Amino acid sequence: MNSAKGLVEIAPGAYHLPSYLTNQEQLQLVIRCRELGTQPTGFYRPTVRGGTKMRIEMLCLGRHWNPMTYRYEPNRSDYDGKAVPPLPADLSTIAGRVATAAGFLFEPDICISNYYPPDGRLGLHQDKDEHPETLRVGIPIVSLSVGNTAQFVLGGMRRKDPTRTILLASGDALVLAGPSRLRYHGVPRILSESGPKELNLNGRFNLTFRRY
Ligand code: SIN
Ligand code: MN
C-alpha cells in the first residue's frame, strides 16, 4: 500500500487525505452548506423504498438522487417536485483538486450533501446509480467532511465482505476510484462533540461529488 504525506492509499483506488481542508476552508464549507441548505430547495429528510426515514438530511446539487427509485432526476419528485439547484463551481473546483491530489482527472456534475445530526448514520451501501460507463471505468467519488468525526466503514464488493473502519475527521477528504469505486461503505456512528469548536456545528456535513 502506498502512503505519502497527506495521501494514504487505504485500498487499491481508495485514498484518505487527512486534514485536506484548512480550518478556514472548513469554516467556509460549513457556511456554504448552511447557505445552500436553507434555500427553498434545501435539506430534507428522505424516506427510502419500504418507508424508512433516513437518519440524515440530504441536499442534491446538479442532479437529484431519488431515494425511492435509486435514480438520478432533474426534480425532487420524491419530496417537493422542485428543480434541483446547480452544482456551484466553487464546490466542484475543490473536488477536482482533491482528485488531482490522488492522481485523477475529475469533473463532477453532481454533489450529494448530507447533514448528519449527532445521532445520524448511513447504512452499508454501494454508490452504483451513476452511468454504467462511469462505474465501469471507475470515475472517482470525492468526499469532503466537516464537523464531527465519522466512523466510516469500507467493505468490499459484496455486502458480506469484511469491513475496516476509518475515522473521517473535519477537513478530511476521501476518494473512491478505480477498483474501489463500487466498494460497500457506510457511516454507523458520528462521534459527538468531536469537531472543531469554531465551526459551531453539532453534527457533520459530508459532500460526495460524483460524475453521472
Ligand atoms: C455516502 O456514502 O454517500 C456518504 C459517506 C459519508 O458520509 O462519509
Ligand atoms: Mn455512498
Side-chain angles (χ1 to χ4, degrees):
M1 270 186 211
N2 239 347
S3 173
K5 193 178 182 299
L7 178 70
V8 184
E9 190 177 27
I10 51 181
Y15 300 89
H16 182 199
L17 296 87
S19 305
Y20 180 82
L21 299 175
T22 63
N23 293 351
Q24 188 55 37
E25 287 169 331
Q26 291 172 46
L27 188 56
Q28 203 49 45
L29 191 55
V30 170
I31 292 169
R32 290 295 274 131
C33 288
R34 287 192 169 128
E35 274 169 12
L36 292 161
T38 51
Q39 286 176 357
T41 46
F43 285 101
Y44 78 104
R45 187 153 173 217
T47 301
V48 291
R49 287 206 277 246
T52 310
K53 275 207 179 291
M54 292 179 81
R55 300 286 293 265
I56 53 158
E57 292 178 34
M58 182 174 79
L59 163 62
C60 299
L61 305 165
R63 290 187 197 213
H64 178 67
W65 179 76
N66 184 319
M68 289 288 190
T69 62
Y70 290 17
R71 286 172 187 271
Y72 286 101
E73 59 187 22
N75 291 69
R76 322 202 295 184
S77 72
D78 59 303
Y79 181 56
D80 56 9
K82 290 195 168 115
V84 64
L87 172 57
D90 60 325
L91 297 183
S92 54
T93 299
I94 302 174
R97 280 211 306 265
V98 172
T100 302
F104 299 95
L105 188 64
F106 178 50
E107 290 179 12
D109 53 10
I110 298 168
C111 172
I112 301 183
S113 51
N114 291 328
Y115 169 69
Y116 293 75
D119 63 348
R121 56 185 153 84
L122 187 63
L124 202 65
H125 66 280
Q126 288 173 296
D127 293 346
K128 58 177 182 187
D129 302 321
E130 294 75 30
H131 193 281
E133 190 59 11
T134 292
L135 304 179
R136 193 187 65 78
V137 301
I139 294 181
I141 291 221
V142 168
S143 141
L144 291 173
S145 300
V146 281
N148 287 346
T149 299
Q151 275 182 1
F152 178 88
V153 293
L154 184 66
M157 299 303 154
R158 292 166 307 176
R159 183 173 286 281
K160 285 190 176 156
D161 286 346
T163 60
R164 58 180 291 185
T165 300
I166 297 142
L167 293 180
L168 290 183
S170 193
D172 287 9
L174 183 83
V175 177
L176 293 182
S180 283
R181 177 61 176 74
L182 286 172
R183 277 180 191 272
Y184 274 88
H185 58 278
V187 176
R189 200 158 91 82
I190 303 294
L191 309 183
S192 65
E193 313 282 341
S194 53
K197 298 278 169 291
E198 317 79 78
L199 297 182
N200 202 13
L201 170 63
N202 188 22
R204 169 181 186 252
F205 289 114
N206 172 265
L207 295 87
T208 50
F209 295 87
R210 301 142 191 257
R211 175 107 201 147
Y212 178 72

